[in-house]
Amino acid sequence: MPAAYHTLQGRHFFLPTQEVISLEKRSKNRLVVVTVIILGLLAILLYSATRGGNNLSYFKTVTEINNDSTLIGKSVRVGGKVIPKTIVKSGTKATFKITDSKNQITVTYSGALPATFADNIQVIAEGTYKKKGLVEAESLVTKCPSKYENQPIVTK
Amino acid sequence: MTYLGYIALVLAAIAAVSAVTLLYIRSGRTGSPEHQMKLPYQMVYAIFGFVTLACLVLLYGFIAKVYSFDYVAANSSADMSLFYRISAFWAGQEGSFLLWLWFVSGAAALIAYLRSHVYDVLTSNALMVMSAVQAFMLAFMLVLGNPFKIAAVTVGLGINPLLMHWAMVLHPPTLFMGYALMTVPFAYALAALLTGDASPAWVERSQRWTLVGWLFLSLGIFLGAAWAYVVLGWGGYWGWDPVENASLLPWLGATALLHSFHIYRQRQSFKRWAISMSVFAFFMVIMAAFMTRGGIVQSVHSFEGTTGILVYYAAVIVTVLGVTGYLLFNRWQDFESKHIFESYLSREAVYHINNILLIFCSVIILVGAFLPQITKQTVGAGVYSAIAQPLGIVLLFLISVCPLLSFGETNLLKFGRRALIPGVIAIISAVPWFFYWKSLEAMVKSVNPSQALPANGWLGYVGFIVATFAIAAACQIYGSKIRLRMQGGEGFATAVGRFFVKTPGQAGGFITHLGLAIVVIGLVGSSMYTVSLSKTLADKQGANFSAGKIKFTYQGYEQTKGTGKEINTTIFKVVDENGRSLRNAEPAYIYYTVREQPGMNADVIIQPFRDIFMVFQGINNSNQLIFEVKINPLISFVWAGSILLILGVIIAVLPKRPGAPAK
């Protein structure tokens, strides 16, 4: 063992003796073993993180949700534009309607409203599709202001 | 004027193509005599010159308010100050691409200049790759993202007022600088493959560039998070949105790359890792750009894309993966490393696991971003958190154990001796941490009883203990390095000073790891135990409410008018649980009159172990004022740790002074 070990430590003139070759092979085996164990653990982690589909939600348009009653009770993510003058704030709860320019749906949300939340703003609501035409949002995001390129051009 | 900018880009493209051609013909595997290499290097300077000219033209457009530039009109307005008009350069898609290109061409020109006394083959090949990258970017700008389009309107639209903040001004260029610098290790990796030179030469030449790139990527993420926390008024700094995640991709890749580089140089090992990670980090830059600018990823931040852009990115991805895959396949044997794994208990083993975990994180983020396009399902923040929390703790543990191990094979006795003190400290700390952890849970319950406690709170507790271990281990290493120098006859101050000056890489690396441990403590507190409370109040002086035992008493509000905005500031007297008066909280609701858009100026009372965060959300339909209060424990640890982390990299980047390092 010691002789082969020293050869292994030396960086030049590497002499592939029988002993060294078997060391090389063991080194490769260790690599495979560690990699396989880690990947296995990661797979378990991934599985448990997404288990039951609890954390995956269906991304739907307003029209799709309105036409699909099987989604009732499931978690959904829906995007649309806030219809002007539909925002009602009572207590700390906000209720408003969003549209995909064909259909509309009511969204309720209690919690902090995003800073840019207002009429005509694109929002993405994520939560439960309670009953036909109503999404109870647990999270609400507005399109980030870095997306200003699509702002309508103001011509007066 | 717009023509001048476009012509400059055309000339830059011509220079880029000539540079690629000349460098390809004249460098090859062996290189050419010096007089033949001068011209191709001058071509590299020429690209930089023309791109700079294009930048100056666009900059002139912003400064002189030339609204016949479509891009200038779309991103600035006459009433903006000079500072914000200049920053509008990178407010949109085309300008940020131009800035990114300018950074790449600047880096290429600097490399050419620094290596022009030798004209080594490796650098010539790397410059060829960098010129090719620039040619690709220029092709995009000339066809799909021309910043010099002529406008149809004659009035500037202005910038979104929420973006007018110093952190948001600096955030994009910082990230783009990081993106641009990731081109350097990629170029040198390809050069090493092209020339078949498996010595550490290519690593030596690109390591510092990568480190600086990593610094900018970290800074960029930090600035974005800080801005989100202060300006957006939602009391958070990270939401696992695809575009936020996108900024994490190159950072993860670069982290794996830096660590592979370290082993390559120290042990002549991890060669294939280093090559693949160079490509991986660069690929992640492309994916990050694609996620933000490709338009197919659903995000709150993304720009709209077109078919042309999709085709372009597909072509780039196929080219990068095709070329590097082919080269790597051809040179697979040349880049074999002899002794990767002499023992399970070795530094190499930890680096190996570290790399796999980092790649795993990147892949999850990528898949998560593109899943909605494939299965119509979205990956919520919950999934990312459930993966990131345990992995973060495991990574931190590996990081802290790694320096206690040896290369090759670790002597168990030695390892035990090194791990003893940090281990004991960590075990003892489990007791106070337990009480602190329980007090956090009690705090959440007392502020808002309806807020659920995190199901995996024990993971946070483990995180605290692991972080303590990491901090103790880092301190122990400092101690032992300094003791070693003092045994060599140096005084304490000299030993500390020399440790930083003579071995900045080591000293900086440990500071970075120390910072990371502190960040983890902050992340546990602020991501798991932030509690929020929504309240409505009548607009009446003396109206009050409590968050736990902290009492907020309404004093009234002030209305002020600024340029283009109305600010409504509410004033609260805040008394903490010990009956002490804190400073007044003054959250404001802003209305931007030009864009008819609201905004919120949150007020944050910063304390060492928690932030009291307060937002005024406007008035509800029964004329009550709406407020949200958040108690955000340990968040200052996130900022302090990040600053330490960045400081560590700055130290590591500093040029090494000659002198023998203490081994």
Side-chain angles (χ1 to χ4, degrees):
Chain A
M1 168 81 187
Y5 187 70
H6 285 299
T7 328
L8 203 60
Q9 290 289 300
R11 286 174 190 170
H12 310 286
F13 310 113
F14 182 77
L15 296 174
T17 63
Q18 205 52 45
E19 222 170 334
V20 169
I21 289 169
S22 82
L23 267 179
E24 276 290 303
K25 212 170 164 190
R26 292 229 301 267
S27 167
K28 267 191 189 136
N29 288 344
R30 290 194 196 100
L31 187 89
V32 174
V33 169
V34 167
T35 311
V36 167
I37 291 175
I38 295 296
L39 290 180
L41 289 175
L42 290 176
I44 293 170
L45 176 65
L46 187 59
Y47 172 76
S48 64
T50 55
R51 187 183 39 193
N54 279 339
N55 287 309
L56 294 174
S57 50
Y58 293 91
F59 194 67
K60 296 286 175 189
T61 65
V62 173
T63 306
E64 279 171 334
I65 288 192
N66 274 339
N67 294 338
D68 188 352
S69 55
T70 62
L71 285 173
I72 289 172
K74 293 208 172 110
S75 59
V76 292
R77 188 171 152 116
V78 57
K81 200 178 191 183
V82 178
I83 302 173
K85 311 229 185 292
T86 60
I87 303 174
V88 179
K89 294 179 185 172
S90 62
T92 59
K93 190 167 167 185
T95 308
F96 53 93
K97 289 191 166 107
I98 59 172
T99 177
D100 61 353
S101 71
K102 289 187 212 102
N103 285 288
Q104 48 176 267
I105 196 166
T106 306
V107 179
T108 64
Y109 178 69
S110 25
L113 288 165
T116 50
F117 182 79
D119 288 352
N120 282 321
I121 292 282
Q122 282 282 340
V123 298
I124 297 171
E126 199 165 351
T128 318
Y129 187 39
K130 274 285 166 190
K131 59 179 192 202
K132 192 159 169 61
L134 176 71
V135 171
E136 210 176 273
E138 278 138 32
S139 89
L140 185 73
V141 283
T142 48
K143 277 276 191 183
C144 176
S146 64
K147 187 189 145 47
Y148 19 0
E149 302 205 327
N150 277 7
Q151 293 275 346
I153 292 172
V154 190
T155 39
K156 277 182 184 163
Chain B
M1 269 310 272
T2 52
Y3 292 112
L4 181 61
Y6 195 75
I7 290 166
L9 286 182
V10 172
L11 290 173
I14 294 170
V17 173
S18 344
V20 174
T21 320
L22 282 169
L23 285 164
Y24 180 72
I25 296 168
R26 296 193 181 169
S27 51
R29 283 195 65 175
T30 48
S32 295
E34 195 179 316
H35 68 274
Q36 286 203 1
M37 295 310 295
K38 270 203 176 123
L39 183 63
Y41 274 52
Q42 279 159 357
M43 281 295 156
V44 174
Y45 300 144
I47 313 172
F48 177 58
F50 289 128
V51 174
T52 307
L53 178 62
C55 288
L56 288 175
V57 170
L58 192 59
L59 196 61
Y60 169 78
F62 278 110
I63 292 174
K65 306 179 188 177
V66 188
Y67 296 121
S68 55
F69 281 50
D70 184 52
Y71 185 78
V72 174
N75 291 297
S76 71
S77 59
D79 59 347
M80 281 161 62
S81 70
L82 182 65
F83 175 70
Y84 285 116
R85 286 212 310 280
I86 291 173
S87 77
F89 188 105
W90 50 82
Q93 165 151 228
E94 291 86 354
S96 35
F97 215 83
L98 182 60
L99 186 72
W100 178 8
L101 172 65
W102 187 62
F103 287 148
V104 175
S105 67
L110 189 57
I111 290 172
Y113 174 72
L114 292 174
R115 307 294 304 174
S116 60
H117 59 294
V118 278
Y119 296 107
D120 62 302
V121 191
L122 212 51
T123 301
S124 307
N125 276 287
L127 287 175
M128 178 181 83
V129 177
M130 289 188 81
S131 304
V133 169
Q134 294 177 69
F136 264 96
M137 295 180 79
L138 281 160
F140 179 85
M141 305 198 70
L142 291 177
V143 181
L144 294 163
N146 176 17
F148 299 104
K149 267 187 279 200
I150 297 168
V153 290
T154 50
V155 73
L157 289 177
I159 200 168
N160 193 306
L162 288 177
L163 292 170
M164 292 207 212
H165 184 266
W166 63 271
M168 247 318 112
V169 167
L170 294 176
H171 168 73
T174 315
L175 273 184
F176 283 119
M177 178 61 100
Y179 286 9
L181 292 178
M182 283 306 129
T183 320
V184 179
F186 170 71
Y188 269 104
L190 283 199
L193 288 174
L194 284 165
T195 56
D197 178 359
S199 76
W202 74 273
V203 178
E204 277 154 19
R205 256 153 244 172
S206 52
Q207 196 176 25
R208 182 162 289 167
W209 293 94
T210 314
L211 205 53
V212 177
W214 192 86
L215 172 66
F216 276 98
L217 290 175
S218 310
L219 254 179
I221 295 172
F222 172 76
L223 287 172
W227 171 78
Y229 186 62
V230 180
V231 177
L232 286 188
W234 56 292
Y237 45 87
W238 196 264
W240 294 110
D241 177 83
V243 167
E244 289 164 21
N245 292 349
S247 72
L248 212 53
L249 287 176
W251 187 86
L252 290 167
T255 308
L257 172 60
L258 276 176
H259 291 93
S260 307
F261 272 176
H262 182 64
I263 302 229
Y264 201 128
R265 290 186 68 176
Q266 292 268 326
R267 299 279 293 168
Q268 304 260 330
S269 182
F270 272 51
K271 292 187 177 178
R272 289 169 189 161
W273 264 124
I275 296 271
S276 342
M277 287 304 98
S278 303
V279 178
F280 184 73
F282 182 69
F283 182 66
M284 286 300 147
V285 166
I286 300 171
M287 293 318 286
F290 182 49
M291 279 164 73
T292 35
R293 304 290 141 99
I296 72 163
V297 170
Q298 279 287 343
S299 154
V300 290
H301 305 262
S302 60
F303 291 76
E304 294 296 300
T306 63
T307 328
I309 292 176
L310 273 181
V311 171
Y312 173 81
Y313 275 104
V316 168
I317 290 166
V318 168
T319 311
V320 168
L321 292 185
V323 169
T324 52
Y326 171 76
L327 287 172
L328 195 58
F329 179 77
N330 268 348
R331 297 275 185 216
W332 190 248
Q333 287 309 320
D334 297 344
F335 285 84
E336 187 175 16
S337 313
K338 289 297 174 206
H339 30 81
I340 271 201
F341 246 101
E342 283 166 29
S343 154
Y344 287 119
L345 205 63
S346 65
R347 271 196 208 180
E348 283 93 338
V350 173
Y351 275 86
H352 183 81
I353 298 170
N354 182 52
N355 276 0
I356 293 179
L357 294 184
L358 291 171
I359 295 172
F360 175 80
C361 293
S362 323
V363 171
I364 291 294
I365 287 173
L366 264 187
V367 172
F370 290 101
L371 199 65
Q373 303 306 317
I374 305 162
T375 65
K376 275 252 165 194
Q377 279 184 317
T378 57
V379 182
V383 178
Y384 292 114
S385 299
I387 293 172
Q389 284 164 356
L391 275 193
I393 292 167
V394 170
L395 272 172
L396 184 64
F397 181 71
L398 291 177
I399 284 166
S400 51
V401 162
C402 191
L404 307 175
L405 297 166
S406 314
F407 283 118
E409 205 166 349
T410 304
N411 180 319
L412 261 179
L413 201 68
K414 262 191 189 163
F415 172 69
R417 212 178 301 142
R418 290 186 202 135
L420 183 67
I421 296 175
V424 168
I425 290 176
I427 290 167
I428 294 172
S429 80
V431 179
W433 278 128
F434 182 81
F435 288 110
Y436 182 70
W437 173 48
K438 285 295 162 198
S439 81
L440 283 180
E441 291 195 337
M443 187 273 294
V444 171
K445 279 286 154 231
S446 78
V447 172
N448 186 354
S450 61
Q451 182 171 324
L453 291 172
N456 51 355
W458 61 272
L459 212 56
Y461 175 54
V462 174
F464 283 144
I465 299 171
V466 170
T468 311
F469 179 74
I471 292 169
C475 292
Q476 151 140 323
I477 288 162
Y478 273 112
S480 70
K481 298 278 176 202
I482 287 160
R483 215 172 317 123
L484 212 62
R485 286 196 168 271
M486 286 170 73
Q487 277 163 8
E490 290 172 8
F492 177 71
T494 327
V496 174
R498 287 205 180 147
F499 176 50
F500 280 92
V501 175
K502 306 270 186 193
T503 51
Q506 238 178 26
F510 291 142
I511 290 194
T512 297
H513 287 172
L514 194 65
L516 210 58
I518 293 170
V519 168
V520 168
I521 293 179
L523 286 179
V524 171
S526 63
S527 74
M528 293 176 122
Y529 293 101
T530 292
V531 53
S532 59
L533 182 69
S534 290
K535 279 284 174 191
T536 53
L537 280 186
D539 179 12
K540 204 169 63 186
Q541 194 182 350
N544 64 72
F545 65 91
S546 296
K549 288 179 183 134
I550 308 170
K551 195 172 175 190
F552 299 82
T553 313
Y554 180 61
Q555 308 287 308
Y557 81 95
E558 277 171 11
Q559 209 165 27
T560 44
K561 277 201 164 91
T563 39
K565 61 184 174 186
E566 292 164 4
I567 308 167
N568 300 291
T569 311
T570 55
I571 301 159
F572 278 87
K573 199 172 147 53
V574 185
V575 179
D576 75 0
E577 54 271 65
N578 301 323
R580 255 181 335 136
S581 282
L582 306 177
R583 73 166 171 82
N584 283 349
E586 300 182 352
Y589 186 86
I590 303 169
Y591 189 72
Y592 297 101
T593 45
V594 181
R595 283 192 179 234
E596 300 179 345
Q597 169 191 316
M600 292 159 207
N601 262 14
D603 196 8
V604 190
I605 299 178
I606 298 169
Q607 297 182 321
F609 295 99
R610 69 174 182 209
D611 276 10
I612 299 168
F613 184 100
M614 195 169 184
V615 193
F616 174 31
Q617 294 194 308
I619 297 166
N620 72 10
N621 292 43
S622 28
N623 273 329
Q624 291 169 309
L625 313 176
I626 313 171
F627 294 95
E628 182 171 53
V629 171
K630 283 188 181 204
I631 311 293
N632 205 336
L634 299 179
I635 186 163
S636 53
F637 282 58
V638 175
W639 311 128
S642 305
I643 291 167
L644 208 57
L645 181 140
I646 286 160
L647 201 69
V649 195
I650 292 174
I651 291 172
V653 170
L654 293 177
K656 197 190 274 185
R657 295 285 172 78
K663 259 284 164 189

